[in-house]
Amino acid sequence: MNSIIAIVLAYLIGSISFAVVVSRLFGLSDPRTYGSKNPGATNVLRTGNKAAAALTLLGDGFKGWLAVWLALTYQFQFDLSDSTVAMVGLAVFIGHLWPVFFKFVGGKGVATALGVLIGINVWLGLGTFATWLIIAYAFRYSSLAALVASLFAPFYYALLFGARIELLAVVIMSALLIYRHSQNIANLMAGKESRLGSKKKDAAEKEAQKPHHEHKSHKKH
């Protein structure tokens, strides 16, 4: 019973979409309605509000770390198996992808996945993050960096710990992350993917910077 409760709680923690919550606090439009329509830090950054994007990134990463940290901290107190801890990490990630609180429309999971990896082991998380940074700096594609980092994450885990049960969770998480980036993969292959630091902004992105009440007032005129 404790294992089921831990997994369900992890999923609920993951279901807190910080992109939507932070956007509402800052008076920005719902990130699911503009740009890539992805509720994540990269899309929030399209509004030009760097503080909102940073809080989104930190929040999404924190919830991944928190779920795993809680499971590991109270593992023996509540008699949680290693398999349960692995499922907790996977559950918080799935919660981000398909959040129950936001009609199952979630983000791609990069920050949350990183938080989970740091929760499992700080060196595992830092190694994966370093991979992301290297690829992002070299090629200027956030999506490509995420894809490469997700491919290397299971390899890093196996190198550090061998074939433990958590490795399966990391593999599944990496596979889901790649799946969520399917459109980005198509854009990369077609040469249409936007680069980091791109100055291009469309009308939807400009509108996203305006609070909802401004949109309504414009419509009245």
Side-chain angles (χ1 to χ4, degrees):
M1 180 59 73
N2 287 340
S3 296
I4 294 174
I5 292 174
I7 293 168
V8 171
L9 284 176
Y11 171 76
L12 294 177
I13 290 173
S15 290
I16 301 172
S17 180
F18 280 89
V20 178
V21 173
V22 170
S23 292
R24 288 177 182 175
L25 290 174
F26 278 77
L28 303 172
S29 294
D30 191 319
R32 296 169 295 180
T33 64
Y34 63 84
S36 65
K37 294 182 171 55
N38 174 60
T42 301
N43 203 33
V44 173
L45 186 60
R46 286 188 167 95
T47 66
N49 195 317
K50 294 181 180 179
L55 283 175
T56 298
L57 183 68
L58 290 173
D60 285 343
F62 175 75
K63 68 184 181 184
W65 170 84
L66 178 64
V68 176
W69 179 82
L70 287 172
L72 288 172
T73 301
Y74 297 101
Q75 180 177 9
F76 301 108
Q77 182 176 340
F78 292 101
D79 194 28
L80 303 178
S81 65
D82 289 341
S83 297
T84 298
V85 174
M87 286 298 294
V88 162
L90 190 57
V92 69
F93 179 72
I94 289 175
H96 178 79
L97 300 188
W98 295 287
V100 67
F101 303 132
F102 298 95
K103 300 179 180 179
F104 302 102
V105 179
K108 296 177 181 177
V110 177
T112 303
L114 180 60
V116 170
L117 295 178
I118 292 175
I120 293 173
N121 180 270
V122 65
W123 295 113
L124 173 63
L126 289 177
T128 305
F129 180 58
T131 302
W132 186 94
L133 280 178
I134 292 169
I135 300 300
Y137 179 80
F139 298 98
R140 311 303 296 173
Y141 288 115
S142 175
S143 56
L144 179 62
L147 290 166
V148 173
S150 67
L151 289 172
F152 273 85
F155 169 75
Y156 293 149
Y157 183 92
L159 191 65
L160 288 169
F161 307 109
R164 296 184 184 179
I165 187 63
E166 290 91 346
L167 176 58
L168 179 60
V170 175
V171 169
I172 294 173
M173 196 164 59
S174 295
L176 286 172
L177 196 148
I178 292 170
Y179 165 73
R180 295 290 283 193
H181 281 77
S182 56
Q183 184 58 52
N184 300 93
I185 294 172
N187 290 340
L188 284 166
M189 293 180 69
K192 297 178 180 179
E193 185 75 348
S194 59
R195 291 177 180 269
L196 287 168
S198 174
K199 300 295 182 180
K200 295 180 180 179
K201 288 186 178 182
D202 55 26
E205 292 167 355
K206 292 179 181 178
E207 284 296 307
Q209 300 179 46
K210 301 177 183 178
H212 289 292
H213 64 82
E214 289 187 20
H215 288 285
K216 293 178 180 178
S217 63
H218 285 313
K219 289 180 181 179
K220 291 179 181 180
H221 294 297

